[in-house]
Amino acid sequence: MGAEPYYGPDFGLLHRQDPELARVLLDELDRLRGGIQLIASENFASPAVLAALGSTLTNKYAEGYPGRRYYAGCEVVDRAEQLAIDRAKRLFGADHVNVQPHSGASANLAAYAALLQPGDTVLAMELSHGGHLTHGSRVNFSGRWFDVVAYGVRRDTELIDYDEVRELALRHQPKMIICGATAYPREIDFAVFRGIADEVGAWLLADVAHTIGLMAGGALPSAVPYADVVTFTTHKALRGPRGGGVMCTGELAAKIDRAVFPFIQGGPLMHAVAAKAVAFGEALRPEFAGYARQVVANARVLADALAAEGVRPVSGGTDSHLALIDLREAGVSGAVAEQRCTAAGITLNRNAIPYDPEPPTVTSGIRVGTPCVTTQGMGPEQMKEVASMIAQVIRNPDAAGEIRERAAALSKIHQIYPS
Ligand SMILES: *Cc1c(COP(=O)(O)O)cnc(C)c1O
């Protein structure tokens, strides 16, 4: 291959030039290695993805799209973006892909901008039932600029109430229906959403920020054949760089592209676009299907083992990479459990459960996810051990010291970024 190109991520140099910042990077790696990471939206990107992220492509201004840029000198970075687009199309069978959104929230903003006018009616999942801030929260642009009607899950089954979705759609005639969630453990029936959208003449947006990686690996059905627009992130189960993307039908391609640039963004982050290409390339390999299946299998074992420990998974289990755990039987709030687990080296987040009697800062639940531990190579046996550690420490904070040692030992056997 000839001389090594200069990528940039020379840690020794960073350490000599800026020891203060270098310390932050080392401490963060120590934090990760010293415990168990169960934040459902996180993952560990590969060294190849990190190399692309740390590359000189960060320097290039490339407003526009491959072959039609507003700056000179883009012929090389064009290849990176074209690779990302072609690989994503191959992976998901989409007609059109835009890989420039800086994040999942930006991808959603672009989708709204392409299809709606301010004041239009949108039907989306209630935040407290698992929806996302960008699906109509009052503190977000979506709730401020659009008239958002919310559907939720049934009280008895804790599954999406498709009858309610249809009723609300018929009553409010939304211009767009959003499916996809941030804390919903079960498979979403995109075909039913498609049918309802067709019945009322609404666009269907599937926000699969969380599950895109499982779709890529074939562990969950794809939303692409059903939705007009599919928004996603690249850093969650997909295991790529922090970022977002939009897929859509050929009919909407130009609208989506104009909404991303020049409407909501300026120059794309070409180092991140290159890293997205690397991640899509990784997801195209057969091993990734094995990874995706293992993520789901691990989440099922973790949820079942927690149930056996006396804390109930919402809806009785999971079809995905995450489980939502109702802690009321254990007599602790989500906030207290989060704090106790953190003290024991287990990082997870408190989360509202459907019809939660507690406010969002307290909550009655926690959300646990398996993308990180599965990337580390953990399997069902380790998930059972993690469940027992969680169950122990949420009831008995005095066990934190001992659990912390067990968590560090487990993480050490399955080391992240081994040198
Ligand atoms: C994570 C997430 C987003 C936002 O992604 P960011 O990259 O944090 O902006 C949007 N929608 C859903 C459903 C998500 O889970």
Side-chain angles (χ1 to χ4, degrees):
M1 221 178 120
E4 267 293 283
Y6 176 72
Y7 295 118
D10 178 343
F11 190 78
L13 178 126
L14 177 63
H15 199 257
R16 286 190 298 282
Q17 184 185 310
D18 191 340
E20 202 178 2
L21 192 277
R23 190 71 248 163
V24 176
L25 303 193
L26 288 171
D27 287 350
E28 174 62 1
L29 194 54
D30 279 350
R31 184 187 71 81
L32 295 175
R33 285 178 173 169
I36 308 284
Q37 312 306 319
L38 295 177
I39 305 267
S41 48
E42 294 182 3
N43 212 330
F44 303 125
S46 72
V49 165
L50 296 182
L53 271 181
S55 71
T56 55
L57 265 59
T58 192
N59 298 322
K60 190 70 197 96
Y61 241 111
E63 284 180 341
Y65 292 99
R68 33 197 184 105
R69 304 284 191 184
Y70 289 82
Y71 283 83
C74 291
E75 58 282 358
V76 178
V77 295
D78 271 4
R79 282 159 41 206
E81 184 162 348
Q82 199 57 53
L83 273 177
I85 292 167
D86 293 345
R87 288 175 181 176
K89 278 179 156 173
R90 192 141 43 99
L91 194 51
F92 300 106
D95 290 345
H96 182 75
V97 185
N98 187 307
V99 294
Q100 292 191 5
H102 302 331
S103 68
S106 301
N108 282 344
L109 177 55
Y112 283 76
L115 301 178
L116 305 174
Q117 293 296 324
D120 279 350
T121 301
V122 174
L123 178 60
M125 193 164 182
E126 169 67 39
L127 178 65
S128 63
H129 287 205
H132 189 259
L133 279 169
T134 55
H135 299 180
S137 162
R138 278 193 304 274
V139 298
N140 181 265
F141 76 85
S142 53
R144 172 99 62 93
W145 294 339
F146 301 94
D147 180 15
V148 183
V149 179
Y151 62 85
V153 300
R154 286 173 58 109
R155 211 179 255 277
D156 52 352
T157 58
E158 298 173 313
L159 301 175
I160 290 174
D161 188 343
Y162 294 99
D163 295 333
E164 186 197 23
V165 175
R166 182 166 177 272
E167 250 165 60
L168 290 171
L170 289 169
R171 184 163 359 125
H172 296 278
Q173 297 289 315
K175 189 126 174 245
M176 181 165 85
I177 299 176
I178 307 178
C179 57
T182 197
Y184 183 70
R186 294 304 192 167
E187 186 182 321
I188 291 171
D189 195 333
F190 299 118
V192 170
F193 272 104
R194 176 75 266 167
I196 296 169
D198 285 344
E199 205 176 337
V200 301
W203 297 110
L204 180 62
L205 167 63
D207 174 0
V208 295
H210 260 267
T211 49
I212 183 88
L214 304 179
M215 281 169 42
L220 271 181
S222 172
V224 172
Y226 301 100
D228 299 292
V229 178
V230 175
T231 53
F232 60 96
T233 68
T234 47
H235 51 279
K236 298 184 183 176
L238 191 63
R239 211 165 61 185
R242 187 156 293 278
V246 185
M247 296 187 272
C248 64
T249 55
E251 172 203 0
L252 292 174
K255 272 190 171 156
I256 289 290
D257 283 354
R258 280 196 304 268
V260 174
F261 172 84
F263 194 75
I264 68 156
Q265 287 188 176
L269 314 175
M270 291 314 293
H271 59 309
V273 167
K276 287 172 189 175
V278 175
F280 293 138
E282 290 177 355
L284 278 164
R285 293 198 200 128
E287 305 89 273
F288 195 84
Y291 167 71
R293 273 198 302 275
Q294 192 60 52
V295 165
V296 176
N298 279 348
R300 289 207 164 114
V301 173
L302 185 58
D304 288 349
L306 284 164
E309 298 277 357
V311 281
R312 188 188 72 93
V314 165
S315 82
T318 181
D319 302 319
S320 68
H321 62 302
L322 68 85
L324 198 55
I325 308 296
D326 176 355
L327 299 170
R328 287 174 300 179
E329 283 291 302
V332 284
S333 69
V336 167
E338 177 188 291
Q339 195 189 333
R340 287 179 183 174
C341 286
T342 304
I346 298 170
T347 311
L348 46 72
N349 62 283
R350 67 177 177 275
N351 211 108
I353 58 171
Y355 306 98
D356 203 320
E358 300 293 340
T361 47
V362 180
T363 78
S364 301
I366 50 172
R367 190 183 65 163
V368 291
T370 51
C372 286
V373 289
T374 308
T375 295
Q376 276 176 276
M378 292 192 203
E381 282 317 304
Q382 290 76 37
M383 293 306 98
K384 286 179 198 160
E385 193 178 344
V386 170
S388 113
M389 292 193 281
I390 293 171
Q392 230 177 300
V393 81
I394 59 176
R395 292 192 175 98
N396 175 19
D398 294 338
E402 183 220 317
I403 304 276
R404 200 181 175 86
E405 278 173 28
R406 279 170 64 192
L410 190 58
S411 191
K412 192 166 180 188
I413 299 169
H414 303 275
Q415 198 173 63
I416 306 153
Y417 302 120
S419 31

